[in-house]
Amino acid sequence: AQKITQTQPGMFVQEKEAVTLDCTYDTSDQSYGLFWYKQPSSGEMIFLIYQGSYDEQNATEGRYSLNFQKARKSANLVISASQLGDSAMYFCAMSPDIPYNTDKLIFGTGTRLQVFP
Amino acid sequence: ETGVTQTPRHLVMGMTNKKSLKCEQHLGHNAMYWYKQSAKKPLELMFVYSLEERVENNSVPSRFSPECPNSSHLFLHLHTLQPEDSALYLCASSQELSGGADTQYFGPGTRLTVL
């Protein structure tokens, strides 16, 4: 069965520093997608970054990068130059590649990131 | 308006009430989803619609009844809920049901409290 594990319930980082949020996954699929979402206190889920299992290069989106290590089944999110507005819950998610079936996202339990001045 | 919107943002209801949650997406997507987010639990997929047809129902109790009149609107009708149904209900949409790379975009959610 597919599963996403986020072992850090909470993380602290000082403003302008980089932080890594851990995510490991379990799947027997050969093709899948990995996502990170940010959820501020307002509740909405904001898409941050996507990594395909066949992508050879790590995904980057501005200050976000995904450290994808396929052999270890890890997809850690790296936020560079943290800002106070980065304080939020962060969810790692995986979409199993099931052709012609539902686009089912499986989420981890999340990591609460707090950025302090 | 842009993106995915949800109304109401907050809802308090008694166990005998009937209410509906509304979701609207302005992205031209063909697939829409309802998720439930309870405290300290992973997000749970409840329903999936593709081109207004339900394609997934993850053993959700019948007191939750979805409706998708068109590809832009999704409703979740609620009746005789239980206190344990209190949660954040998130709506999402994606371009297609393609598996893998199709990013889902989420609405702001409805915070539901059942008394």
Side-chain angles (χ1 to χ4, degrees), chain B residues 68-106:
Chain B
C68 187
N70 55 63
S71 60
S72 299
H73 293 85
L74 185 65
F75 294 89
L76 187 62
H77 303 300
L78 316 170
H79 64 96
T80 60
L81 294 191
Q82 305 298 312
E84 59 265 29
D85 296 323
S86 298
L88 181 69
Y89 289 84
L90 290 162
C91 174
S93 72
S94 64
Q95 184 62 50
E96 304 287 350
L97 285 185
S98 59
D102 210 359
T103 301
Q104 293 183 25
Y105 293 86
F106 286 79

Short mmCIF file of all heavy atoms in Angstrom, two decimals, chain B residues 68-106:
data_model
loop_
_atom_site.label_atom_id
_atom_site.label_comp_id
_atom_site.label_asym_id
_atom_site.label_seq_id
_atom_site.Cartn_x
_atom_site.Cartn_y
_atom_site.Cartn_z
N CYS B 68 -22.56 17.14 -8.18
CA CYS B 68 -21.74 17.88 -9.13
C CYS B 68 -22.60 18.21 -10.35
O CYS B 68 -22.66 17.44 -11.30
CB CYS B 68 -20.52 17.05 -9.54
SG CYS B 68 -19.32 17.94 -10.54
N PRO B 69 -23.29 19.35 -10.32
CA PRO B 69 -24.20 19.69 -11.42
C PRO B 69 -23.50 20.03 -12.73
O PRO B 69 -24.08 19.87 -13.80
CB PRO B 69 -24.97 20.90 -10.87
CG PRO B 69 -24.05 21.49 -9.86
CD PRO B 69 -23.28 20.36 -9.26
N ASN B 70 -22.27 20.51 -12.63
CA ASN B 70 -21.46 20.81 -13.82
C ASN B 70 -20.00 20.79 -13.41
O ASN B 70 -19.68 20.69 -12.23
CB ASN B 70 -21.86 22.16 -14.45
CG ASN B 70 -21.79 23.29 -13.46
OD1 ASN B 70 -20.71 23.61 -12.94
ND2 ASN B 70 -22.93 23.90 -13.17
N SER B 71 -19.12 20.91 -14.37
CA SER B 71 -17.69 20.73 -14.07
C SER B 71 -17.11 21.85 -13.23
O SER B 71 -15.98 21.74 -12.75
CB SER B 71 -16.90 20.58 -15.37
OG SER B 71 -17.06 21.74 -16.18
N SER B 72 -17.85 22.94 -13.05
CA SER B 72 -17.33 24.05 -12.27
C SER B 72 -17.82 24.07 -10.82
O SER B 72 -17.27 24.81 -10.00
CB SER B 72 -17.71 25.40 -12.91
OG SER B 72 -17.18 25.51 -14.20
N HIS B 73 -18.86 23.30 -10.52
CA HIS B 73 -19.47 23.37 -9.20
C HIS B 73 -19.54 22.00 -8.55
O HIS B 73 -19.83 21.00 -9.20
CB HIS B 73 -20.89 23.94 -9.28
CG HIS B 73 -20.94 25.37 -9.69
ND1 HIS B 73 -20.93 25.76 -11.02
CD2 HIS B 73 -20.97 26.52 -8.95
CE1 HIS B 73 -20.96 27.09 -11.08
NE2 HIS B 73 -20.99 27.57 -9.84
N LEU B 74 -19.29 22.00 -7.26
CA LEU B 74 -19.36 20.76 -6.48
C LEU B 74 -19.98 21.10 -5.13
O LEU B 74 -19.60 22.09 -4.50
CB LEU B 74 -17.96 20.18 -6.29
CG LEU B 74 -17.84 18.83 -5.60
CD1 LEU B 74 -18.49 17.74 -6.44
CD2 LEU B 74 -16.37 18.49 -5.35
N PHE B 75 -20.94 20.27 -4.73
CA PHE B 75 -21.59 20.49 -3.44
C PHE B 75 -21.37 19.27 -2.55
O PHE B 75 -21.17 18.15 -3.03
CB PHE B 75 -23.10 20.69 -3.63
CG PHE B 75 -23.46 21.95 -4.37
CD1 PHE B 75 -23.57 21.95 -5.76
CD2 PHE B 75 -23.69 23.14 -3.69
CE1 PHE B 75 -23.89 23.11 -6.46
CE2 PHE B 75 -24.01 24.30 -4.38
CZ PHE B 75 -24.12 24.28 -5.76
N LEU B 76 -21.42 19.52 -1.26
CA LEU B 76 -21.43 18.43 -0.30
C LEU B 76 -22.60 18.68 0.64
O LEU B 76 -22.58 19.62 1.44
CB LEU B 76 -20.12 18.36 0.48
CG LEU B 76 -19.94 17.16 1.39
CD1 LEU B 76 -19.94 15.85 0.59
CD2 LEU B 76 -18.64 17.26 2.20
N HIS B 77 -23.63 17.86 0.50
CA HIS B 77 -24.83 18.00 1.32
C HIS B 77 -24.64 17.20 2.62
O HIS B 77 -24.22 16.04 2.58
CB HIS B 77 -26.06 17.52 0.56
CG HIS B 77 -26.27 18.21 -0.75
ND1 HIS B 77 -26.46 19.58 -0.85
CD2 HIS B 77 -26.28 17.73 -2.03
CE1 HIS B 77 -26.61 19.91 -2.12
NE2 HIS B 77 -26.49 18.82 -2.86
N LEU B 78 -24.98 17.85 3.71
CA LEU B 78 -24.74 17.28 5.03
C LEU B 78 -26.07 17.10 5.76
O LEU B 78 -26.90 18.02 5.76
CB LEU B 78 -23.84 18.21 5.85
CG LEU B 78 -22.63 18.80 5.14
CD1 LEU B 78 -21.99 19.87 6.01
CD2 LEU B 78 -21.65 17.72 4.77
N HIS B 79 -26.27 15.96 6.39
CA HIS B 79 -27.46 15.77 7.21
C HIS B 79 -27.20 14.76 8.30
O HIS B 79 -26.48 13.79 8.11
CB HIS B 79 -28.67 15.36 6.35
CG HIS B 79 -28.49 14.02 5.69
ND1 HIS B 79 -29.00 12.84 6.21
CD2 HIS B 79 -27.88 13.68 4.54
CE1 HIS B 79 -28.70 11.85 5.40
NE2 HIS B 79 -28.01 12.32 4.39
N THR B 80 -27.78 15.03 9.46
CA THR B 80 -27.64 14.19 10.66
C THR B 80 -26.18 13.83 10.93
O THR B 80 -25.82 12.65 11.07
CB THR B 80 -28.50 12.92 10.60
OG1 THR B 80 -28.11 12.14 9.45
CG2 THR B 80 -29.96 13.27 10.53
N LEU B 81 -25.34 14.86 10.96
CA LEU B 81 -23.91 14.63 11.20
C LEU B 81 -23.66 14.31 12.67
O LEU B 81 -24.50 14.55 13.53
CB LEU B 81 -23.10 15.84 10.78
CG LEU B 81 -23.09 16.16 9.29
CD1 LEU B 81 -22.03 17.23 9.00
CD2 LEU B 81 -22.81 14.93 8.45
N GLN B 82 -22.46 13.80 12.92
CA GLN B 82 -22.00 13.46 14.25
C GLN B 82 -20.87 14.43 14.66
O GLN B 82 -20.19 14.98 13.80
CB GLN B 82 -21.47 12.02 14.28
CG GLN B 82 -22.47 10.98 13.79
CD GLN B 82 -23.71 10.95 14.68
OE1 GLN B 82 -23.59 10.91 15.90
NE2 GLN B 82 -24.87 10.97 14.06
N PRO B 83 -20.66 14.59 15.97
CA PRO B 83 -19.57 15.49 16.40
C PRO B 83 -18.22 15.12 15.80
O PRO B 83 -17.41 16.01 15.52
CB PRO B 83 -19.59 15.33 17.92
CG PRO B 83 -21.01 14.99 18.25
CD PRO B 83 -21.48 14.13 17.10
N GLU B 84 -17.97 13.84 15.55
CA GLU B 84 -16.68 13.44 14.99
C GLU B 84 -16.52 13.86 13.53
O GLU B 84 -15.44 13.70 12.94
CB GLU B 84 -16.46 11.93 15.11
CG GLU B 84 -17.51 11.07 14.44
CD GLU B 84 -18.60 10.63 15.40
OE1 GLU B 84 -18.88 11.36 16.38
OE2 GLU B 84 -19.17 9.54 15.17
N ASP B 85 -17.59 14.37 12.94
CA ASP B 85 -17.50 14.89 11.57
C ASP B 85 -16.94 16.31 11.54
O ASP B 85 -16.70 16.86 10.45
CB ASP B 85 -18.88 14.88 10.90
CG ASP B 85 -19.43 13.47 10.74
OD1 ASP B 85 -18.63 12.55 10.46
OD2 ASP B 85 -20.65 13.29 10.91
N SER B 86 -16.75 16.89 12.70
CA SER B 86 -16.15 18.23 12.76
C SER B 86 -14.74 18.17 12.19
O SER B 86 -13.92 17.36 12.62
CB SER B 86 -16.10 18.73 14.21
OG SER B 86 -17.40 18.84 14.75
N ALA B 87 -14.48 19.01 11.22
CA ALA B 87 -13.19 18.97 10.51
C ALA B 87 -13.14 20.13 9.53
O ALA B 87 -14.09 20.89 9.39
CB ALA B 87 -13.03 17.65 9.77
N LEU B 88 -12.02 20.21 8.84
CA LEU B 88 -11.88 21.14 7.71
C LEU B 88 -12.17 20.35 6.44
O LEU B 88 -11.56 19.32 6.20
CB LEU B 88 -10.47 21.73 7.66
CG LEU B 88 -10.20 22.74 6.54
CD1 LEU B 88 -10.97 24.04 6.79
CD2 LEU B 88 -8.71 23.02 6.42
N TYR B 89 -13.11 20.84 5.65
CA TYR B 89 -13.47 20.16 4.41
C TYR B 89 -12.91 20.97 3.25
O TYR B 89 -13.24 22.14 3.06
CB TYR B 89 -14.99 19.98 4.31
CG TYR B 89 -15.47 18.94 5.28
CD1 TYR B 89 -15.74 19.28 6.61
CD2 TYR B 89 -15.59 17.61 4.90
CE1 TYR B 89 -16.13 18.32 7.53
CE2 TYR B 89 -15.99 16.64 5.82
CZ TYR B 89 -16.25 17.00 7.13
OH TYR B 89 -16.63 16.04 8.04
N LEU B 90 -12.06 20.30 2.50
CA LEU B 90 -11.35 20.95 1.41
C LEU B 90 -11.85 20.44 0.06
O LEU B 90 -12.03 19.25 -0.13
CB LEU B 90 -9.85 20.71 1.52
CG LEU B 90 -9.14 21.41 2.68
CD1 LEU B 90 -7.81 20.76 2.95
CD2 LEU B 90 -8.94 22.88 2.37
N CYS B 91 -12.03 21.37 -0.82
CA CYS B 91 -12.37 21.05 -2.20
C CYS B 91 -11.13 21.28 -3.05
O CYS B 91 -10.33 22.18 -2.76
CB CYS B 91 -13.51 21.96 -2.65
SG CYS B 91 -13.93 21.82 -4.40
N ALA B 92 -10.96 20.48 -4.07
CA ALA B 92 -9.83 20.65 -4.98
C ALA B 92 -10.28 20.36 -6.40
O ALA B 92 -11.31 19.72 -6.62
CB ALA B 92 -8.67 19.72 -4.60
N SER B 93 -9.51 20.85 -7.36
CA SER B 93 -9.79 20.53 -8.75
C SER B 93 -8.48 20.27 -9.48
O SER B 93 -7.41 20.72 -9.05
CB SER B 93 -10.55 21.67 -9.43
OG SER B 93 -9.72 22.80 -9.65
N SER B 94 -8.58 19.51 -10.56
CA SER B 94 -7.42 19.28 -11.42
C SER B 94 -7.90 19.23 -12.87
O SER B 94 -9.09 19.02 -13.13
CB SER B 94 -6.69 17.99 -11.04
OG SER B 94 -7.52 16.86 -11.25
N GLN B 95 -6.95 19.38 -13.78
CA GLN B 95 -7.33 19.44 -15.18
C GLN B 95 -8.03 18.17 -15.63
O GLN B 95 -9.10 18.19 -16.22
CB GLN B 95 -6.08 19.69 -16.04
CG GLN B 95 -6.36 19.87 -17.51
CD GLN B 95 -7.25 21.07 -17.77
OE1 GLN B 95 -6.99 22.17 -17.29
NE2 GLN B 95 -8.33 20.87 -18.52
N GLU B 96 -7.40 17.05 -15.33
CA GLU B 96 -7.95 15.76 -15.74
C GLU B 96 -7.68 14.74 -14.65
O GLU B 96 -6.95 14.99 -13.70
CB GLU B 96 -7.28 15.27 -17.04
CG GLU B 96 -7.34 16.20 -18.23
CD GLU B 96 -8.72 16.28 -18.85
OE1 GLU B 96 -9.60 15.47 -18.49
OE2 GLU B 96 -8.92 17.15 -19.72
N LEU B 97 -8.23 13.55 -14.84
CA LEU B 97 -7.86 12.41 -13.99
C LEU B 97 -6.79 11.64 -14.73
O LEU B 97 -7.05 10.62 -15.35
CB LEU B 97 -9.08 11.53 -13.75
CG LEU B 97 -10.13 12.03 -12.77
CD1 LEU B 97 -11.20 10.99 -12.56
CD2 LEU B 97 -9.51 12.41 -11.45
N SER B 98 -5.57 12.12 -14.69
CA SER B 98 -4.53 11.50 -15.51
C SER B 98 -3.53 10.71 -14.70
O SER B 98 -2.66 10.05 -15.24
CB SER B 98 -3.79 12.58 -16.29
OG SER B 98 -3.23 13.50 -15.39
N GLY B 99 -3.59 10.79 -13.40
CA GLY B 99 -2.61 10.09 -12.58
C GLY B 99 -1.27 10.79 -12.58
O GLY B 99 -0.94 11.53 -13.50
N GLY B 100 -0.49 10.62 -11.55
CA GLY B 100 0.87 11.13 -11.55
C GLY B 100 0.96 12.64 -11.51
O GLY B 100 0.89 13.22 -10.45
N ALA B 101 1.08 13.27 -12.65
CA ALA B 101 1.52 14.66 -12.66
C ALA B 101 0.42 15.69 -12.58
O ALA B 101 0.72 16.86 -12.57
CB ALA B 101 2.32 14.92 -13.94
N ASP B 102 -0.84 15.32 -12.50
CA ASP B 102 -1.87 16.34 -12.57
C ASP B 102 -2.06 17.00 -11.22
O ASP B 102 -2.61 16.42 -10.29
CB ASP B 102 -3.18 15.70 -13.04
CG ASP B 102 -4.02 16.68 -13.81
OD1 ASP B 102 -3.60 17.84 -13.96
OD2 ASP B 102 -5.11 16.30 -14.26
N THR B 103 -1.62 18.23 -11.13
CA THR B 103 -1.65 18.94 -9.86
C THR B 103 -3.05 19.30 -9.47
O THR B 103 -3.85 19.75 -10.30
CB THR B 103 -0.81 20.23 -9.98
OG1 THR B 103 0.53 19.86 -10.33
CG2 THR B 103 -0.82 21.01 -8.69
N GLN B 104 -3.36 19.11 -8.20
CA GLN B 104 -4.64 19.53 -7.67
C GLN B 104 -4.49 20.88 -7.00
O GLN B 104 -3.52 21.12 -6.29
CB GLN B 104 -5.16 18.49 -6.67
CG GLN B 104 -5.52 17.16 -7.32
CD GLN B 104 -6.10 16.17 -6.34
OE1 GLN B 104 -6.68 16.53 -5.32
NE2 GLN B 104 -5.96 14.89 -6.65
N TYR B 105 -5.46 21.72 -7.25
CA TYR B 105 -5.50 23.04 -6.64
C TYR B 105 -6.65 23.08 -5.65
O TYR B 105 -7.77 22.70 -5.98
CB TYR B 105 -5.65 24.13 -7.71
CG TYR B 105 -4.43 24.20 -8.60
CD1 TYR B 105 -4.30 23.38 -9.70
CD2 TYR B 105 -3.39 25.07 -8.29
CE1 TYR B 105 -3.18 23.43 -10.50
CE2 TYR B 105 -2.25 25.13 -9.08
CZ TYR B 105 -2.16 24.31 -10.18
OH TYR B 105 -1.03 24.34 -10.96
N PHE B 106 -6.34 23.58 -4.46
CA PHE B 106 -7.29 23.49 -3.36
C PHE B 106 -7.98 24.82 -3.09
O PHE B 106 -7.40 25.89 -3.29
CB PHE B 106 -6.57 23.05 -2.09
CG PHE B 106 -6.20 21.60 -2.08
CD1 PHE B 106 -5.10 21.15 -2.78
CD2 PHE B 106 -6.96 20.68 -1.37
CE1 PHE B 106 -4.75 19.80 -2.79
CE2 PHE B 106 -6.62 19.34 -1.36
CZ PHE B 106 -5.52 18.90 -2.07
#
